[in-house]
């Protein structure tokens, strides 16, 4: 089916569902496993997303459904700052292979290695170079990342690898994601002896994002986009995802599986439900992933601009007021063309700590006073004693 016809068909099939998705929540089912049931009325899809957290928790025991420690980020107590930049896939993480289409229709690429790649409906993409600068972590372990410091590459290609052939496939349905809110969350590096130590550390952030879909093979500036808005996206650097979602409009089942590689961990040792083993050869290398379903739409402010923001209240059903404009706060309804499409985003990356607070980077770790400070202090005490003797 033609791409544009498919979008129209999905939109018509889902026209009865006119409510936006709320942020993901997971229910604990035991054995480190959490279950998110997809809300059909807000997404136009059915199914579940399962997450195994490996038993890992962050500062003060925060976990899957938590996105702040204590009262939240404290800008007056920043303990460290880091930059994370994605890299080309190394195909080492033991995600199962999959038959994929780099675009809707045409050739199926069999037994594709999905490590570092993205599943979206039937399509596949390789995560392009993306950078997250100025990722601030306060001493309690709260993340804060300004939306301007999250820079996503243009999703245009799929690097296909079946173990025999490596081939770059130029897709004809392209995407440009961008953050439309700041990110918040928690980071476990504050629980280690040093931000650069070879120890277990991981974290998660949530933010709203949008992506523009381009129906021709061109740069983002030269074609008209169809904008999709996804509130409450969650990105994690730990755990295992299992997506089993069916699109109501097409009846197509999207069954994806992905495994994160925690910071400092050898990806070849990753085991589902357990994680991997620390390895100095992979120090400050990490992978992250996130899964979800594109909702039917969202209530937003400043639609049609790069300054679009998601309204806090997403429970109102449009159609009950003229023009689908919310009278109470002025938010307007933005409908998504790709509603009901599930995705699993993976990326390999490198992590660089750009700042460590010398006065203390963690509320949980005793920072030893450097030897030079002790020597300086003992020298002052010696001078004070000499002064007293001279005075006498």
């Amino acid at each position: 089916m033609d791409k544009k016809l498919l979008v129209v068909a999905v939109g018509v099939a889902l026209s009865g569902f006119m409510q936006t998705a709320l942020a993901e929540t997971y229910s604990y089912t035991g054995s480190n496993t959490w279950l998110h049931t997809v809300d059909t009325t807000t997404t136009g899809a059915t199914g579940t997303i399962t997450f195994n957290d490996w038993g890992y928790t962050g500062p003060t025991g925060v976990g899957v459904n938590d996105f702040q420690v204590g009262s939240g980020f404290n800008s007056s107590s920043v303990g460290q700052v880091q930059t994370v930049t994605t890299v080309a896939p190394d195909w080492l993480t033991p995600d199962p292979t999959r038959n994929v289409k780099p675009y809707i229709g045409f050739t199926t690429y069999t037994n594709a290695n999905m490590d570092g790649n993205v599943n979206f409906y039937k399509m596949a993409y390789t995560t392009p170079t993306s950078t997250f600068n100025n990722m601030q972590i306060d001493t309690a372990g709260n993340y804060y990342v300004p939306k301007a410091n999250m820079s996503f590459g243009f999703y245009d290609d799929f690097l296909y690898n079946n173990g025999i052939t490596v081939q770059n496939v130029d897709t004809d349905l392209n995407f440009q994601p961008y953050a439309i809110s700041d990110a918040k969350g928690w980071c476990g590096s504050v629980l280690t002896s040093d931000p650069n130590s070879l120890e277990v550390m991981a974290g998660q952030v949530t933010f709203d994002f949008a992506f523009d879909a381009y129906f021709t093979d061109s740069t983002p500036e030269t074609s008209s986009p169809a904008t999709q808005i996804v509130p409450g996206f969650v990105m994690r650097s730990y755990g295992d995802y299992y997506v089993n979602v069916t699109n109501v409009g097409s009846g197509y089942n999207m069954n994806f599986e992905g495994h994160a590689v925690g910071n400092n961990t050898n990806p070849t040792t990753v085991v589902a439900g357990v994680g991997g083993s620390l390895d100095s050869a992979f120090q400050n290398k990490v992978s992250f992933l996130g899964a979800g379903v594109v909702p039917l739409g969202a209530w937003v402010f400043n639609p049609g601009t790069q300054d679009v923001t998601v309204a806090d209240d997403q429970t109102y059903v449009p159609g009950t007021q003229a023009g689908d404009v919310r009278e109470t706060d002025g938010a307007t309804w933005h409908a998504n063309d790709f509603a009901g499409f599930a995705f699993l985003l993976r990326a390999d990356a490198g992590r660089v700590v750009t700042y460590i607070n010398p006065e203390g980077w963690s509320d949980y770790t005793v920072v030893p006073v450097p030897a030079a400070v002790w020597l300086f202090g003992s020298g002052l005490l010696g001078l004070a004693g000499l002064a007293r003797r001279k005075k006498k």
Side-chain angles (χ1 to χ4, degrees):
M1 180 183 291
D2 179 81
K3 299 185 296 298
K4 294 183 180 179
L5 291 178
L6 176 62
V7 172
V8 171
V10 173
V12 170
L14 301 181
S15 59
F17 301 117
M18 292 297 289
Q19 187 182 31
T20 190
L22 302 176
E24 285 181 19
T25 55
Y26 285 78
S27 300
Y28 187 65
T29 60
S31 301
N32 300 328
T33 301
W34 301 76
L35 181 69
H36 170 71
T37 301
V38 176
D39 185 350
T40 303
T41 62
T42 62
T43 65
T46 61
T48 59
I49 300 175
T50 304
F51 181 72
N52 188 302
D53 67 5
W54 303 339
Y56 182 81
T57 57
T60 71
V62 291
V64 171
N65 290 325
D66 302 311
F67 295 98
Q68 69 179 47
V69 182
S71 58
F73 180 74
N74 182 356
S75 60
S76 65
S77 185
V78 174
Q80 54 185 294
V81 179
Q82 66 183 30
T83 292
V84 172
T85 303
T86 63
V87 297
D90 56 20
W91 296 302
L92 296 178
T93 307
D95 290 351
T97 61
R98 184 172 175 81
N99 298 339
V100 298
K101 297 174 183 281
Y103 36 77
I104 299 173
F106 305 105
T107 304
T108 296
Y109 288 78
T110 60
N111 299 318
N113 190 319
M114 294 307 300
D115 181 27
N117 292 317
V118 174
N119 288 116
F120 180 68
Y121 191 53
K122 299 179 181 181
M123 294 89 77
Y125 300 83
T126 295
T127 300
T129 301
S130 303
T131 303
F132 304 86
N133 287 309
N134 194 29
M135 301 179 72
Q136 302 172 48
I137 306 167
D138 72 10
T139 56
N142 285 290
Y143 260 128
Y144 172 69
V145 190
K147 67 178 183 180
N149 295 116
M150 291 182 277
S151 176
F152 294 86
F154 187 50
Y155 284 73
D156 183 26
D157 300 294
F158 174 60
L159 191 56
Y160 171 61
N161 180 359
N162 65 355
I164 301 172
T165 301
V166 177
Q167 177 184 352
N168 189 67
V169 180
D170 185 16
T171 64
D172 66 347
L173 180 61
N174 305 323
F175 298 98
Q176 178 61 67
Y178 48 96
I180 57 175
S181 77
D182 299 336
K184 65 177 184 178
W186 54 262
C187 181
S189 64
V190 294
L191 301 177
T192 62
S193 61
D194 182 272
N196 282 310
S197 63
L198 188 67
E199 298 178 56
V200 176
M201 58 181 84
Q204 63 182 38
V205 294
T206 183
F207 56 95
D208 304 328
F209 83 99
F211 62 92
D212 293 339
Y214 297 87
F215 296 103
T216 58
D217 186 14
S218 61
T219 59
E221 294 77 14
T222 60
S223 60
S224 299
T227 300
Q228 317 297 306
I229 294 178
V230 182
F233 173 61
V234 179
M235 191 168 66
R236 297 182 168 99
S237 59
Y238 69 104
D240 311 306
Y241 270 106
Y242 303 88
V243 177
N244 186 7
V245 174
T246 299
N247 181 281
V248 172
S250 67
Y252 182 73
N253 177 255
M254 295 155 282
N255 199 331
F256 311 142
E257 178 181 335
H259 306 277
V261 181
N263 191 37
N264 305 324
T265 298
N266 186 329
T268 65
T269 66
V270 170
V271 176
V274 178
S277 58
L278 298 174
D279 188 332
S280 59
F282 294 90
Q283 191 158 3
N284 275 329
K285 293 183 179 180
V286 66
S287 81
F288 53 84
L289 72 175
V293 180
V294 177
L296 296 173
W299 285 103
V300 301
F301 301 105
N302 303 316
T305 74
Q306 289 285 324
D307 295 323
V308 62
T309 58
V310 174
D312 290 336
D313 180 10
Q314 292 289 320
T315 59
Y316 176 78
V317 180
T320 60
Q321 294 180 5
D324 293 341
V325 176
R326 194 184 304 198
E327 294 179 353
T328 56
D329 58 11
T332 58
W333 176 256
H334 174 91
N336 288 326
D337 291 330
F338 292 103
F341 285 17
F343 59 87
L344 176 59
L345 181 153
R346 309 169 180 82
D348 293 332
R351 168 182 175 268
V352 177
V353 179
T354 58
Y355 169 77
I356 300 174
N357 190 335
E359 297 180 357
W361 57 272
S362 171
D363 292 343
Y364 314 98
T365 302
V366 177
V367 180
V369 178
V373 175
W374 284 115
L375 291 173
F376 179 69
S378 62
L380 289 179
L381 290 175
L383 289 174
L386 178 61
R388 283 195 298 271
R389 287 195 296 273
K390 286 186 175 179
K391 187 175 182 180
K392 291 180 179 179

